[in-house]
Amino acid sequence: MEKTITKEELNQLPLKHFEGRVDVIEDINIIEELVKELEKHDTIGFDTETKPSFQKGKVNQVALLQLATNEKAYLFRLNKTGFHPSLVRLLSNPQIKKVGVGIRDDIRGLNRLVPFKQAGFIEIQDHVKGVGIEDTSLKKLAGLVLNFRVSKRQRLSNWEAPHLSEGQILYAATDAWVAIELLNKLQEEFPHAQAQTI
């Protein structure tokens, strides 16, 4: 496996996105039931989105929490539901691995909503350094490890919009799902490299 990938090489790769079922959750009453579904999995993909702030010193609250399995992505609109206790329970559960790329800021952002003790998180950027991969952005890792491109076009869009667009929904689901795909492929390629939790 290559250690780096150029922009040109990345642009040659096919564009891919999550093709499973995506649920956008705005109803606080169904969160507990959905978390119970997620708790049946031992590994889930994790990411968050925050409305960008173009003002110096102003940081917006996390608006969206994405959790994904191989077949399904759950997009929890925290700006509408709040950070539900059952989600806090899931993110504090050491038995369930939560996998993501560049997740320390995501965890900090969630802690600003409700302080909690995270457990079971795997940072793919840490994991790939252990196997000699030098490019650690999600986009480059998808290219290097999975041989496809993911679009980052929606990253700076308004995650607090009344309704998320189709593009935002696909982007958010893909980011969480790609993390699981990366971990699976890395474990297949480098079976001796242990993924440490943070």
Side-chain angles (χ1 to χ4, degrees):
M1 190 178 288
E2 296 296 322
K3 294 184 169 26
T4 61
I5 188 168
T6 65
K7 214 170 172 181
E8 294 67 39
E9 288 168 329
L10 198 55
N11 288 335
Q12 304 291 305
L13 296 174
L15 199 57
K16 204 165 172 191
H17 60 74
F18 181 61
E19 290 173 2
R21 179 175 160 184
V22 184
D23 278 3
V24 179
I25 299 106
E26 299 183 354
D27 177 1
I28 195 165
N29 299 311
I30 60 169
I31 294 177
E32 176 71 41
E33 174 195 332
L34 296 177
V35 169
K36 284 193 171 130
E37 247 176 72
L38 281 160
E39 285 172 332
K40 293 175 187 161
H41 297 265
D42 59 3
T43 307
I44 55 179
F46 163 86
D47 194 25
T48 71
E49 301 300 337
T50 302
K51 179 184 174 180
S53 165
F54 300 107
Q55 281 174 278
K56 202 171 177 243
K58 184 179 189 290
V59 179
N60 289 316
Q61 304 268 38
V62 174
L64 192 71
L65 166 64
Q66 304 104 273
L67 299 171
T69 66
N70 287 323
E71 301 82 38
K72 200 167 166 192
Y74 303 77
L75 312 184
F76 295 93
R77 299 207 67 192
L78 303 187
N79 60 313
K80 297 195 172 200
T81 64
F83 190 12
H84 195 276
S86 57
L87 287 169
V88 176
R89 180 181 80 225
L90 176 66
L91 300 185
S92 308
N93 183 342
Q95 306 306 316
I96 299 169
K97 293 191 201 83
K98 279 75 64 175
V99 191
V101 178
I103 56 177
R104 285 179 172 86
D105 280 347
D106 300 87
I107 296 166
R108 267 196 292 275
L110 289 169
N111 259 289
R112 282 198 286 271
L113 296 175
V114 175
F116 68 101
K117 188 164 174 29
Q118 88 265 6
F121 281 85
I122 293 173
E123 170 56 85
I124 292 285
Q125 290 179 337
D126 293 349
H127 187 47
V128 295
K129 281 177 194 155
V131 297
I133 292 174
E134 291 163 21
D135 283 333
T136 60
S137 71
L138 178 75
K139 197 169 181 173
K140 289 201 164 180
L141 284 171
L144 277 168
V145 179
L146 302 170
N147 295 312
F148 62 72
R149 263 185 317 136
V150 292
S151 167
K152 300 301 278 180
R153 273 221 311 265
Q154 298 291 334
R155 191 167 66 93
L156 296 177
S157 59
N158 179 9
W159 295 100
E160 294 177 15
H163 300 285
L164 295 180
S165 69
E166 198 54 46
Q168 284 177 308
I169 289 167
L170 264 187
Y171 167 89
T174 299
D175 266 14
W177 161 75
V178 164
I180 307 179
E181 295 291 305
L182 285 167
L183 184 67
N184 290 344
K185 184 74 173 156
L186 287 162
Q187 288 181 328
E188 200 180 287
E189 293 272 333
F190 307 101
H192 303 302
Q194 283 299 309
Q196 304 295 323
T197 56
I198 59 168

